[in-house]
Amino acid sequence: MVTILTKLRKKWNSLQWLLLLTYILVGVVPLVLFTNTIFRAMDGYFVEERKKELLGQANILSGKISANHYLYDDTKWKQFNEEISAASNQGNFRVLVLDSCGIVINDSSRQDVGKTYLVAEIIEALDNKDVANQQEDGTIYAAVSILDEHSNKIGVVFISARSDDVSTTVNEIRRQSNIVFVVIAFIVGILMYFMAKFFTEPLKKVLNIIIKMSEGHFDQRIDIKGLRHNEISDLALACNHMAEKLEQVETTRQNFVSNVSHELKTPLSSMKVLSESILLQNDAPKETYIEFLEDINSEIDRMTEIINDLLTLVKLDQKEVPIAFVETELNQLIKDTMKRMHPLADVKKIALTFIPLKEEIFADIDKTKFISAISNLIENAIKYTPEEGSITVTVDCDHQNAFLSISDTGIGIAEEEIGKIFERFYRVDKTRDRETGGTGLGLSITHSTILMHNGSIKVNSKEQEGTTFLVRIPLHQNV
C-alpha cells in the first residue's frame, strides 16, 4: 500500500501533471470566473431592460387613464377594464390602478379591488417619481403616477411581473454555454495531456540517462534523432557532451592510475632485482655493493621525483598551492632563466637564442612557479633537439597580454599526438622518454601553472621539423 501511494505521489508530482494542473489553474479557472461574470452581467442587463419595458407600459396606461377620465367616468368602466386586461395579457404582467390614497380601483386579476395596497414603489410614485425595482423573490415592481389635466396626482399605475422569463432565457444560454465549455475544456485537456507528454518524455529519457551516468555508466548516450532543434534537443546534446567528458575523465583517471602504478613499479622492480643480487652474492667485493647501492639510490631518487611531481599536480588541481602575483619585468626574467639553461644546451652544441621586446614588459606573475614552467619548456626543447640544433625564445605583448614563444628544431610531434601531450604520464615515445629521463608529468605541471596565471598554452609541431610552444598570460591579474 505504501509503495502504491509513493508511486502515485511521484506521478502527481511529475512535470506532466504539473503542466496539466497549470493549464487548469491558468486556463480553466479564470475562464469559469469570466463566464460567471458575463452571465451575471447578462442577467442584470435583461432585468434592467424588463424594468424599462414595464415603466414604459405603465406610462402608456397612465396616459390613457388620464386622457379618458377612467377614474371619474363610470360609463367608461367596461372600456377601462378592457384596457387593463389587454395590457396585462399582452405584457404578461399584473396591473393595479390605485387612487391617491392607495386604494385599488381596478385590478387585472380582479382580486384586490377595494383593498389598500401600499408598497415602497407605490409610495414613491405618489411622490411623483416613476420607479421600478426587483424584489428578493425575483418579482419586478413598476409604479407610475397618474396626473390629471392640472398635473395633480390622482392615482398610480402599479405593474408587477415575474422575472422567470428573463431567468429562463439566461439559464438556457448558460446551459448551452456550459455544454460547449465542458466539451472544449475536455478536448483541450486531452490535447494538453499529450502535449505535456510530448515535452516530458524526452526529459524522462534525459533523466534516465543521467541516473545511469550517476551509477558509473558513462557510455550512455541520448538518441536525438527525430528531436526538433529546441531547448530539449540542446539539453540532450549537452547531456551527451557531458557524458563524453565524464567518459574521458574516467578513462584519464584509469590511465593515470595505470601509469602511476607502472612508473612506480619500474624502479621498485629494479631495486628488488638489485637487492636480491646483493643478497645472493655472499662474497661480492665492496665495489659491487657500492655500485648496486648507487643504482638503488638512483631509483629511489626517481621514485621521489615522481611522487613529488604527483603531489604538486594534486595541489595545483585542488588549488591548494598559494599563488603570489608580483609585478615582474619579463625580458630580464626570461634572460636569467635561459642563462641557467646554457650549460645543458652547450653539451649538445645547441644554439640558444633569446629575442626580447625592445621595451620593458611588466606582468603580474608568481615568479617561482612561472620560472619553473618556462624552464621545463626550454629543458624539454633541449632534450628533444638533436645536436647542433637551435632553440629560439621570443617575448612579445599587446596592451592586455604577454606572449612567449619557444621554438626548436627538434624531432617534432605527430599531429595526432599534439592534443595529448599535456596528459599526465603521456609519452609520445616511451623508449626515448626513458633515455632522456623525466617523469612524464612536466608538461602537465606547466599546463596547470599557466592556467593558474589565467593564461593559455598552445602547441604547433611537425615531425622532424620542430615544435613551437605559445604561452599567453595577462599583464594584470584580477586578484
Side-chain angles (χ1 to χ4, degrees):
M1 185 64 182
V2 174
T3 305
I4 295 174
L5 290 175
T6 303
K7 289 182 178 179
L8 287 174
R9 190 180 297 112
K10 288 182 179 179
K11 183 177 180 180
W12 285 107
N13 287 334
S14 67
L15 181 60
Q16 182 176 347
W17 291 105
L18 287 176
L19 288 174
L20 284 176
L21 181 61
T22 302
Y23 157 69
I24 293 172
L25 293 177
V26 177
V28 176
V29 173
L31 186 58
V32 170
L33 296 176
F34 175 75
T35 303
N36 288 334
T37 302
I38 290 295
F39 280 118
R40 282 197 298 269
M42 187 183 298
D43 189 63
Y45 170 78
F46 282 128
V47 169
E48 289 300 319
E49 290 298 311
R50 184 62 168 162
K51 287 180 183 179
K52 293 178 182 178
E53 179 189 353
L54 295 179
L55 282 175
Q57 292 293 332
N59 275 301
I60 292 172
L61 288 173
S62 173
K64 289 182 178 181
I65 292 171
S66 178
N68 294 315
H69 304 288
Y70 287 147
L71 297 183
Y72 303 112
D73 192 348
D74 293 337
T75 61
K76 298 180 178 179
W77 186 257
K78 183 178 179 181
Q79 185 180 351
F80 185 18
N81 286 337
E82 290 176 355
E83 288 277 2
I84 296 298
S85 298
S88 175
N89 292 332
Q90 184 179 0
N92 193 25
F93 48 71
R94 182 184 178 190
V95 180
L96 297 178
V97 180
L98 303 92
D99 62 15
S100 58
C101 295
I103 298 173
V104 178
I105 298 174
N106 205 337
D107 181 1
S108 61
S109 64
R110 305 292 185 268
Q111 294 178 1
D112 296 327
V113 176
K115 295 182 179 179
T116 301
Y117 205 89
L118 294 177
V119 294
E121 287 75 15
I122 293 175
I123 295 173
E124 289 186 41
L126 289 173
D127 288 335
N128 202 23
K129 180 180 179 182
D130 296 349
V131 62
N133 294 317
Q134 186 178 26
Q135 309 304 308
E136 291 183 2
D137 61 356
T139 304
I140 299 175
Y141 289 169
V144 174
S145 59
I146 304 172
L147 303 178
D148 60 13
E149 61 270 15
H150 303 294
S151 298
N152 296 318
K153 294 185 289 294
I154 58 175
V156 173
V157 174
F158 178 76
I159 295 177
S160 66
R162 299 290 298 175
S163 60
D164 294 343
D165 53 344
V166 173
S167 299
T168 301
T169 302
V170 174
N171 288 335
E172 180 62 23
I173 298 174
R174 188 196 300 267
R175 186 184 66 82
Q176 294 179 4
S177 299
N178 287 340
I179 293 173
V180 174
F181 171 75
V182 169
V183 172
I184 293 175
F186 180 73
I187 295 173
V188 174
I190 293 175
L191 292 176
M192 282 298 299
Y193 173 81
F194 286 105
M195 286 295 292
K197 190 173 182 180
F198 173 77
F199 284 113
T200 55
E201 283 299 320
L203 294 178
K204 288 180 181 179
K205 293 180 181 178
V206 173
L207 179 61
N208 290 332
I209 295 297
I210 292 175
I211 291 174
K212 290 181 180 179
M213 285 193 294
S214 68
E215 296 171 350
H217 303 287
F218 300 127
D219 58 337
Q220 297 293 316
R221 297 293 185 273
I222 300 170
D223 185 11
I224 60 174
K225 293 180 180 178
L227 288 179
R228 292 185 177 181
H229 182 71
N230 52 31
E231 287 79 0
I232 295 178
S233 63
D234 291 341
L235 177 62
L237 288 172
C239 188
N240 286 343
H241 183 65
M242 180 180 67
E244 292 173 2
K245 290 296 183 181
L246 289 173
E247 193 171 18
Q248 291 176 6
V249 169
E250 178 63 17
T251 302
T252 302
R253 184 189 67 82
Q254 292 176 357
N255 291 337
F256 178 72
V257 172
S258 176
N259 289 330
V260 169
S261 301
H262 178 74
E263 292 295 329
L264 294 178
K265 182 180 179 181
T266 301
L268 283 172
S269 298
S270 299
M271 286 188 290
K272 181 173 178 60
V273 170
L274 291 169
S275 61
E276 287 178 347
S277 298
I278 294 175
L279 292 173
L280 291 174
Q281 298 181 34
N282 295 327
D283 299 326
K286 179 180 178 181
E287 292 77 10
T288 302
Y289 282 102
I290 292 174
E291 181 183 353
F292 281 20
L293 288 173
E294 286 177 348
D295 291 339
I296 291 173
N297 185 64
S298 176
E299 295 298 333
I300 291 173
D301 289 340
R302 177 172 173 76
M303 286 183 63
T304 302
E305 186 181 0
I306 292 173
I307 292 171
N308 287 336
D309 284 347
L310 285 173
L311 291 174
T312 300
L313 275 173
V314 170
K315 290 179 179 178
L316 288 173
D317 287 343
Q318 297 180 352
K319 299 183 179 178
E320 292 181 357
V321 179
I323 186 164
F325 292 115
V326 178
E327 189 176 58
T328 305
E329 208 286 308
L330 292 183
N331 283 324
Q332 188 61 44
L333 181 74
I334 302 301
K335 184 178 180 180
D336 293 341
T337 302
M338 292 184 67
K339 186 182 295 185
R340 291 191 291 271
M341 293 294 166
H342 268 290
L344 292 175
D346 292 341
V347 172
K348 299 176 68 174
K349 299 179 182 181
I350 294 174
L352 201 57
T353 305
F354 176 49
I355 304 177
L357 195 65
K358 292 182 179 180
E359 55 268 8
E360 293 181 328
I361 305 173
F362 289 92
D364 296 334
I365 61 171
D366 186 309
K367 291 179 65 175
T368 302
K369 295 180 180 60
F370 190 74
I371 289 173
S372 176
I374 300 306
S375 297
N376 185 52
L377 292 176
I378 298 173
E379 186 177 354
N380 277 350
I382 294 171
K383 285 180 181 179
Y384 299 115
T385 298
E387 291 187 1
E388 299 184 354
S390 65
I391 298 173
T392 304
V393 179
T394 305
V395 177
D396 199 355
C397 76
D398 58 18
H399 64 286
Q400 289 184 332
N401 299 290
F403 303 95
L404 179 65
S405 170
I406 301 171
S407 300
D408 62 55
T409 58
I411 59 177
I413 306 170
E415 185 177 352
E416 64 271 12
E417 306 288 346
I418 290 177
K420 303 176 182 178
I421 63 172
F422 295 116
E423 294 179 8
R424 297 163 191 187
F425 292 116
Y426 186 80
R427 300 181 188 276
V428 177
D429 188 330
K430 296 183 179 180
T431 302
R432 182 164 57 240
D433 219 22
R434 292 290 183 197
E435 293 172 355
T436 56
T439 62
L441 297 172
L443 285 179
S444 295
I445 294 174
T446 298
H447 183 256
S448 297
T449 301
I450 298 301
L451 291 182
M452 287 184 70
H453 282 77
N454 299 310
S456 63
I457 180 168
K458 296 180 180 180
V459 185
N460 294 320
S461 183
K462 288 186 178 181
E463 288 186 286
Q464 307 307 321
E465 292 186 14
T467 302
T468 299
F469 283 87
L470 300 172
V471 177
R472 177 195 62 81
I473 59 168
L475 296 176
H476 304 287
Q477 301 287 343
N478 295 321
V479 182

